[in-house]
Amino acid sequence: RLLPLLLLLLGPALGPALGQGLGQTRFICTSVPLDGDVCAASALGTGSAEELKGTVLQLRETVLQQKETIMNQKETIRELTAKLGRCESQSVLEPPGEGKGRKGFSKNTMGDLSRPAAAETLSQLGQTLQSLKTRLENLEQFSRMNSSSQTNNLKDILQNKIDDLEKQVLSRVNSLEEGKLNPRNESEERGKIESTLTSLHQRISDLEKGQKDNRPPDRFQLTFPLRTNYMYAKVKKSLPEMYAFSICMWIKSSASPGMGTPFSYAVPGQANELVLIEWGNNPMEILINDKVAKLPFTINDGKWHHICVTWTTRDGVWEAYQDGTQTGNGENLAPYHPIKPQGVLVLGQEQDTLGGGFDATQAFVGELAHFNVWDRKLSPGEVYGLATCSSKALAGNVIAWAETNIDIYGGATKWTFEACRQLN
């Protein structure tokens, strides 16, 4: 009587567990006389009623433990599935076939950053903010000397703006780590921060300019401290149609590999109309209408160097000068192709589209000054005069180096140019 009763009570619990281990199972009940021996009549054949009861209770405990384990595993699976779903919904995948720029680099423009690149950009923004804070601290001494309330108010406003930007950057870092930002919100927030950064930089530059009123308009340099896709300067004038040119500048960089792109000129339909670039482990190159000549420059030693490139469309003849001495020449560089007008001239970035499409891997890192453009070929004597900071040196008749001719963006900075003072 005991066995059928226990089987009846435990059947619902034992059925699934025993069925999993033994396959299809049947229970056979045998009638036992009132005075008969239950153990002897049982199909199990051996053991006392107490032993059988203990076995059944042990089996029941095992089943309950297995049931609890299964429930825990199901809960873990649900949690992992939910996390996987969130990761899949927040991942940013670049469409196939897009994002490849010239020279095989993967583009990294402000609108299509992957998450690792976004985190890197945030780090660069943080470094830029630190640079601006340093500049603001340098202004404190000037503020103490000038007791005007207007100057002090400006300093306080700028400091508050920097503090707000730092909070925004920190918030974005936390959001990235927690996976809260979607691509659209991330792009919008990045745009807001970079716009505010440019505005903030301009206000600090204007405040600094109050200390530099006596500086000649051409005695300044541009500094690009980071390899980014948002720091650059833009020349306000475009180039005219040119059948010859001379482009000269002072340049200083220790970036490796490759200092990047000191300047690029793009026109509608041709992003590489005129470009100077040193990318990867390649030598510096001049590109005209996508045609390339390698230039024998050795200048990424962290020292100031003066470089010039001259070119004429007739036979595509070119010459390269470093520190006043001709170091190379050649021909057949885009012969009989005039430089087209109505383009965009950018310092510090390589353009993949007209005025944009910047790639951080091709950005210039270093300092640049006295960028001048002529629509003719300079003589060796004129180049030497520029390289030795002669007082009779000419300014470019197409583009002359002057603060009023340059707009700067993204945190690139202007400082007083020191190279010629060191030479003199």
Side-chain angles (χ1 to χ4, degrees):
R1 294 174 183 173
L2 178 61
L3 178 59
L5 180 59
L6 288 173
L7 292 176
L8 179 62
L9 291 174
L10 298 178
L14 286 172
L18 295 176
Q20 291 175 6
L22 302 175
Q24 193 171 5
T25 305
R26 290 190 305 166
F27 294 100
I28 301 175
C29 297
T30 305
S31 61
V32 181
L34 290 175
D35 57 349
D37 187 353
V38 175
C39 295
S42 172
L44 299 176
T46 60
S48 66
E50 291 299 324
E51 291 175 345
L52 180 60
K53 182 179 179 181
T55 302
V56 171
L57 292 175
Q58 185 176 5
L59 284 172
R60 181 180 182 184
E61 184 66 23
T62 301
V63 169
L64 293 175
Q65 290 176 355
Q66 290 177 344
K67 183 178 180 180
E68 183 179 357
T69 300
I70 290 171
M71 293 300 294
N72 290 337
Q73 290 175 342
K74 284 183 178 179
E75 183 63 27
T76 301
I77 290 171
R78 278 196 295 268
E79 290 179 2
L80 291 176
T81 302
K83 289 181 180 180
L84 179 61
R86 288 197 298 270
C87 289
E88 289 175 341
S89 66
Q90 293 167 356
S91 61
V92 181
L93 299 177
E94 188 176 45
E98 294 185 6
K100 291 295 181 182
R102 190 179 58 79
K103 307 295 183 187
F105 282 107
S106 176
K107 284 182 64 178
N108 186 20
T109 60
M110 286 187 281
D112 60 1
L113 285 176
S114 63
R115 286 205 176 275
E120 181 180 354
T121 300
L122 285 174
S123 174
Q124 293 169 344
L125 280 171
Q127 295 179 53
T128 303
L129 286 172
Q130 184 58 47
S131 173
L132 290 176
K133 287 183 69 175
T134 301
R135 293 171 63 193
L136 196 56
E137 289 169 1
N138 292 336
L139 292 171
E140 289 182 353
Q141 183 176 2
F142 172 75
S143 298
R144 285 193 293 267
M145 295 173 61
N146 187 338
S147 60
S148 70
S149 59
Q150 183 179 5
T151 301
N152 291 326
N153 289 338
L154 271 176
K155 182 179 73 66
D156 293 338
I157 291 172
L158 293 173
Q159 183 63 61
N160 291 335
K161 281 186 172 292
I162 288 178
D163 293 340
D164 290 342
L165 278 171
E166 285 185 317
K167 291 176 182 177
Q168 290 183 51
V169 171
L170 181 60
S171 174
R172 288 190 60 207
V173 170
N174 293 335
S175 297
L176 278 174
E177 290 175 349
E178 296 173 7
K180 292 180 179 178
L181 288 180
N182 61 46
R184 178 178 297 179
N185 291 340
E186 185 177 335
S187 178
E188 290 176 357
E189 289 195 18
R190 180 167 54 249
K192 290 178 182 178
I193 289 177
E194 289 165 355
S195 175
T196 306
L197 191 62
T198 298
S199 174
L200 175 63
H201 156 73
Q202 190 61 51
R203 295 189 67 178
I204 292 179
S205 295
D206 292 342
L207 191 56
E208 288 174 330
K209 195 176 294 183
Q211 305 173 64
K212 302 172 183 177
D213 288 337
N214 296 325
R215 183 175 71 192
D218 64 337
R219 295 297 182 187
F220 74 100
Q221 68 188 48
L222 297 179
T223 300
F224 303 92
L226 305 171
R227 197 181 294 278
T228 73
N229 65 343
Y230 57 84
M231 280 189 184
Y232 67 103
K234 183 179 177 181
V235 180
K236 294 180 180 180
K237 287 181 59 179
S238 177
L239 298 179
E241 185 174 61
M242 296 190 300
Y243 295 86
F245 67 71
S246 296
I247 300 178
C248 301
M249 72 197 79
W250 283 91
I251 200 167
K252 176 182 178 182
S253 179
S254 57
S256 179
M259 69 174 62
T261 308
F263 77 87
S264 65
Y265 177 67
V267 297
Q270 177 53 278
N272 299 319
E273 181 68 8
L274 179 56
V275 182
L276 184 68
I277 184 171
E278 182 183 73
W279 58 279
N281 294 310
N282 299 282
M284 184 165 282
E285 299 173 341
I286 184 80
L287 286 78
I288 300 177
N289 192 32
D290 258 332
K291 307 302 186 294
V292 182
K294 297 184 182 302
L295 305 179
F297 291 149
T298 305
I299 51 181
N300 61 339
D301 56 2
K303 299 178 180 179
W304 281 106
H305 294 279
H306 187 266
I307 61 174
C308 276
V309 179
T310 69
W311 172 86
T312 59
T313 185
R314 181 178 178 85
D315 296 325
V317 175
W318 60 270
E319 295 174 346
Y321 294 82
Q322 178 175 331
D323 298 326
T325 303
Q326 186 181 133
T327 57
N329 61 76
E331 58 184 17
N332 291 321
L333 175 58
Y336 304 102
H337 170 83
I339 302 299
K340 296 178 182 178
Q342 305 304 315
V344 177
L345 181 56
V346 167
L347 306 178
Q349 296 283 354
E350 196 272 339
Q351 303 172 67
D352 282 334
T353 59
L354 186 65
F358 302 146
D359 184 338
T361 62
Q362 297 174 336
F364 174 69
V365 181
E367 296 165 281
L368 186 150
H370 281 267
F371 178 86
N372 286 276
V373 182
W374 294 261
D375 59 2
R376 63 180 179 86
K377 178 182 175 181
L378 294 183
S379 69
E382 289 173 322
V383 173
Y384 183 80
L386 292 168
T388 55
C389 300
S390 169
S391 59
K392 298 180 181 180
L394 302 172
N397 68 330
V398 174
I399 301 294
W401 186 247
E403 291 195 59
T404 55
N405 293 338
I406 305 290
D407 287 329
I408 54 179
Y409 301 91
T413 56
K414 290 180 182 178
W415 300 98
T416 301
F417 179 61
E418 300 290 346
C420 282
R421 183 181 300 178
Q422 295 170 4
L423 290 175
N424 297 331

